[in-house]
Amino acid sequence: MSNEVNKIEYVSYLEHQGRFKGLKSWIFATDHKRIALLYMYAIAAFFFIGALLGLLMRFELIAPGETIMKAQTYNGLFTVHGVIMIFMVVIPGLSAVFGNFFLPILIGAKDVAFPRLNLFSWWIFVFGSVLAVASQFLKSGPPDTGWTFYAPYSTTTGTSVIIATTAAFILGFSSILTGLNFLVTVHQMRAPGMKFFNMPLFPWAIYATAWIQLLATPIVGITLLMLIAERLFGIGFFDPNLGGDPVLFQHLFWIYSHPAVYIMILPAMGVITEIVPTFCQRKVYGYKAIALSSLAIAGVGFLVWGHHMYTSGMSENARWFFSLLTFIVAVPSAIKVFNWISTMYKGSIDLKPPFLFALAFIFLFIIGGTTGLILGSVATNIQVHDTSFIVAHFHYIIFGGMGFAFFAAIHYWLPKMYGRLYNFRRANIACIIMFIGFNTLYFPQFVIGIQGMPRRYFDYLPQFQTGHMISTIGGVILIFGLFYMLINLIKGARKGPKAPANPWNGSTLEWQIPSPPSLENFDEPFEVKANPYDYK
Amino acid sequence: MSNNSSHITEYKVLGRILLILMFFTFATISVTSFNLASFTVTVALLIAGIKGYFVLSYFMHLKYENLLLRILVGMIFVLFALIVLITFIDYSYR
């Protein structure tokens, strides 16, 4: 028989004709790659809505007093910005998009363990997101509690808290189902010969994240149901007037929401761990340490929630205990940073856009991480609690960390996802613009935070105006950079030059298959290496 | 990796587990008539934990699964216990 007969004809997943055509072939797709793209389009749309809302907030704060909106509108805006960004962008972000697309490929599988459940997760995500956005337009007005829905205010405010919390509850289901799917995929779907310690490190990060999604999300789900029950039936879980304890809400909320930070950042760390060795052409330094540090972060990250509550009226003993645990969780995070830098040492560094974004991530994450230690210590935390210092720290970790890792990931994997290349020079310029814009936006908030500028305040003393002015200018630069990057990526994905199978000379499995991959990823035999980062 | 062989538990064993669960349900209700002060939650969770062990082990067949899966589920219980314990460090000393 000739080779042509033996060889399966290659059809990319983008061209594959399944049961449905057109839009239906996407919204009813069970292929993990198409579902990943569905998530990406939805999340990108929400991200730009959230970013524009953030920019409106910055314009309001450009000068003291009322500038472009009323105080109640501002309260609604920071809640909407938070709910969209946290529940609809950063929590699903990397895991649902790149986890879905690349987890099966990186472990040599044809799909995730439960493809239909995967599609169902996306539908639940869309339903929850629509409900969350709808809550902002109801007659009762957008919820004004902040994304944390703190009791007892959230039990009494007349705004649309019930709809917003129901939306968060539904979005949580999507997260749980995705986590469950990924856990089973890693346990059951690995290619023959691929043991746990042969897996690339992005799957390790997704695996650790999936455990958090599965175990922590139900807690916030129950908490939000308790809040809804309290509002509807006056049960008195959290309202002191009814015999409840508002600190209990904070405990339950942060038992989920601190690990949720690791749902956001662990996959980001996984992305960086893939990019650094590829663009340095070096074996990753300390493979096992990085793999196990993901699990350590997931495990210890469960036990540090109280550092959000030092000023809540929690007992003294609990405060020092949480402070101790918080310092411990910094260790595995630092292990990763040391290992990335050690991987770069004596490497053949290639400053292509994914690596530039990865460097930006490391720089911003170090600032976010070290300022996190200031917040982990009880004494300094109390000084800066509920100031814009927290806003700056949080955005350095979430936007500087997860956001820049997302940008690094899309620049790294876009050639594989769409089979086309984008303009490298424009991508590098976009990265530099965003890096400058990001630091101009958030760094002044550290300074005015230490000086006493409260967070979530519509008005402020004149002494903080310079900081706010610089910050708003940074916001404009950042938004410009974001749109510049987006246009370059869209142009590349649609009309860019065709990408080879392995444009970066990567060593992991996704670079062994054509760009874009076929429906079942692996049409030909592939090699599972003992070390996935086997660079000479 | 997965253990593809399925295990069928005898009705007799399932019946015994049902009786044990009913006994502990009775215990859960009975114990509320005693004032255990700060140990109220501990005792309630302990009984619930024992019931959970039997349900997982026999009704959900965890007892017949591979070691890795049993360790992972066990660690979830340890984590849950730690979370409750740490929360009560606040409540006990406030």
Side-chain angles (χ1 to χ4, degrees):
Chain A
M1 257 190 228
S2 71
N3 278 343
E4 282 175 23
V5 177
N6 279 336
K7 202 172 178 180
I8 299 167
E9 195 188 345
Y10 161 73
V11 180
S12 85
Y13 77 100
L14 293 169
E15 296 159 335
H16 177 80
Q17 286 292 330
R19 261 174 73 200
F20 301 107
K21 287 181 181 170
L23 182 66
K24 279 186 179 174
S25 72
W26 284 89
I27 61 173
F28 296 126
T30 51
D31 175 25
H32 66 105
K33 299 180 287 297
R34 286 197 174 211
I35 293 171
L37 293 190
L38 286 175
Y39 270 114
M40 189 168 77
Y41 300 143
I43 287 168
F46 292 130
F47 171 73
F48 277 93
I49 293 169
L52 287 173
L53 295 179
L55 191 66
L56 285 177
M57 284 155 63
R58 287 301 338 151
F59 280 128
E60 171 50 43
L61 293 173
I62 200 165
E66 188 179 313
T67 313
I68 60 164
M69 65 183 79
K70 302 253 179 253
Q72 185 62 20
T73 312
Y74 181 81
N75 288 352
L77 217 60
F78 70 65
T79 306
V80 180
H81 170 79
V83 169
I84 288 178
M85 287 303 205
I86 295 289
F87 294 110
M88 287 141 73
V89 178
V90 288
I91 287 182
L94 282 161
S95 183
V97 178
F98 299 105
N100 248 319
F101 203 109
F102 288 102
L103 172 69
I105 297 176
L106 284 167
I107 62 171
K110 289 179 178 177
D111 206 320
V112 292
F114 307 116
R116 287 183 183 177
L117 192 67
N118 201 14
L119 177 64
F120 185 56
S121 303
W122 181 76
W123 274 103
I124 295 176
F125 170 75
V126 170
F127 179 57
S129 299
V130 168
L131 206 60
V133 174
S135 75
Q136 317 306 320
F137 300 104
L138 294 178
K139 200 178 170 188
S140 48
D144 54 353
T145 57
W147 73 274
T148 50
F149 302 112
Y150 268 10
Y153 182 65
S154 58
T155 63
T156 54
T157 174
T159 54
S160 325
V161 167
I162 292 183
I163 301 293
T165 46
T166 306
F169 179 80
I170 292 167
L171 288 166
F173 258 99
S174 171
S175 189
I176 292 169
L177 294 178
T178 303
L180 179 72
N181 216 337
F182 288 171
L183 278 180
V184 180
T185 303
V186 169
H187 275 272
Q188 303 284 1
M189 307 283 285
R190 277 174 285 128
M194 183 173 282
K195 299 195 169 113
F196 262 93
F197 285 106
N198 301 133
M199 279 200 308
L201 289 158
F202 182 65
W204 265 104
I206 292 289
Y207 178 71
T209 307
W211 274 112
I212 306 175
Q213 286 175 290
L214 187 70
L215 298 180
T217 316
I219 298 171
V220 80
I222 290 163
T223 311
L224 295 176
L225 279 185
M226 287 164 82
L227 178 63
I228 292 167
E230 175 135 349
R231 282 183 67 99
L232 291 177
F233 309 116
I235 291 176
F237 290 121
F238 309 121
D239 186 351
N241 292 325
L242 300 168
D245 177 11
V247 181
L248 175 65
F249 179 88
Q250 294 195 27
H251 272 300
L252 292 172
F253 182 82
W254 288 113
I255 285 172
Y256 163 75
S257 295
H258 190 77
V261 175
Y262 298 110
I263 295 178
M264 305 165 198
I265 204 68
L266 268 172
M269 292 167 158
V271 167
I272 303 306
T273 313
E274 292 298 323
I275 291 173
V276 169
T278 303
F279 289 90
C280 297
Q281 291 293 297
R282 279 211 70 200
K283 198 164 86 173
V284 73
Y285 181 84
Y287 170 92
K288 279 192 179 172
I290 294 182
L292 295 176
S293 65
S294 292
L295 293 183
I297 289 172
V300 184
F302 260 103
L303 310 175
V304 300
W305 75 87
H307 67 227
H308 295 269
M309 300 167 53
Y310 289 152
T311 62
S312 67
M314 199 168 56
S315 74
E316 188 63 34
N317 283 1
R319 288 198 287 179
W320 73 253
F321 191 68
F322 279 119
S323 185
L324 173 74
L325 289 170
T326 302
F327 278 86
I328 291 172
V329 83
V331 175
S333 303
I335 285 173
K336 286 185 188 288
V337 175
F338 284 128
N339 285 9
W340 294 326
I341 293 168
S342 302
T343 305
M344 289 178 210
Y345 180 65
K346 286 189 177 176
S348 309
I349 290 176
D350 184 4
L351 274 179
K352 291 256 168 44
F355 189 69
L356 207 58
F357 276 103
L359 286 181
F361 165 93
I362 294 172
F363 182 87
L364 300 174
F365 182 72
I366 288 174
I367 294 178
T370 46
T371 51
L373 293 175
I374 292 170
L375 298 170
S377 163
V378 180
T380 44
N381 178 295
I382 287 170
Q383 169 70 24
V384 295
H385 185 85
D386 261 349
T387 68
S388 64
F389 188 94
I390 305 284
V391 180
H393 158 74
F394 182 75
H395 282 86
Y396 265 88
I397 290 288
I398 300 304
F399 193 173
M402 183 274 171
F404 273 77
F406 193 100
F407 305 145
I410 188 67
H411 284 89
Y412 184 52
W413 279 316
L414 185 134
K416 184 57 59 183
M417 295 164 90
Y418 291 94
R420 291 184 182 276
L421 293 168
Y422 50 85
N423 185 304
F424 291 174
R425 189 169 158 269
R426 283 185 198 145
N428 280 343
I429 291 170
C431 180
I432 292 164
I433 293 172
M434 284 197 291
F435 183 78
I436 293 167
F438 180 92
N439 285 293
T440 315
L441 168 56
Y442 293 112
F443 201 83
Q445 296 188 29
F446 280 128
V447 179
I448 57 174
I450 289 173
Q451 289 170 348
M453 172 66 211
R455 73 189 290 202
R456 290 177 176 167
Y457 271 35
F458 165 77
D459 197 2
Y460 54 84
L461 296 172
Q463 71 198 67
F464 301 122
Q465 191 181 356
T466 308
H468 277 300
M469 174 73 85
I470 296 169
S471 197
T472 304
I473 292 167
V476 174
I477 298 170
L478 181 60
I479 285 281
F480 174 75
L482 279 169
F483 276 104
Y484 189 71
M485 178 191 74
L486 182 73
I487 290 165
N488 185 39
L489 287 174
I490 292 173
K491 269 188 178 175
R494 285 167 62 95
K495 291 178 183 168
K498 289 206 167 168
N502 191 357
W504 316 124
N505 198 22
S507 72
T508 38
L509 277 181
E510 78 272 38
W511 306 116
Q512 290 189 32
I513 57 175
S515 303
S518 65
L519 181 69
E520 295 193 336
N521 305 332
F522 299 95
D523 296 333
E524 290 173 21
F526 56 94
E527 182 196 355
V528 175
K529 295 173 185 169
N531 185 330
Y533 306 99
D534 187 18
Y535 294 102
K536 298 286 181 285
Chain B
M1 282 303 206
S2 69
N3 178 6
N4 288 326
S5 61
S6 57
H7 179 271
I8 299 170
T9 313
E10 286 177 49
Y11 280 117
K12 205 162 61 181
V13 176
L14 293 175
R16 273 189 213 140
I17 301 302
L18 182 65
L19 285 175
I20 292 170
L21 289 173
M22 285 170 74
F23 168 76
F24 278 108
T25 305
F26 178 74
T28 308
I29 298 162
S30 308
V31 84
T32 56
S33 56
F34 300 101
N35 184 5
L36 299 171
S38 58
F39 288 102
T40 309
V41 176
T42 314
V43 172
L45 283 176
L46 199 66
I47 296 173
I50 295 167
K51 287 170 72 181
Y53 166 79
F54 281 109
V55 171
L56 278 167
S57 299
Y58 292 94
F59 290 168
M60 297 177 79
H61 295 241
L62 190 65
K63 191 175 165 65
Y64 313 104
E65 276 292 345
N66 64 38
L67 183 66
L68 177 65
L69 201 64
R70 279 185 281 159
I71 290 171
L72 289 173
V73 175
M75 282 173 69
I76 293 169
F77 275 85
V78 172
L79 183 69
F80 178 69
L82 277 173
I83 287 173
V84 173
L85 185 76
I86 293 171
T87 307
F88 275 81
I89 288 177
D90 173 27
Y91 282 93
S92 307
Y93 292 97
R94 205 186 290 173

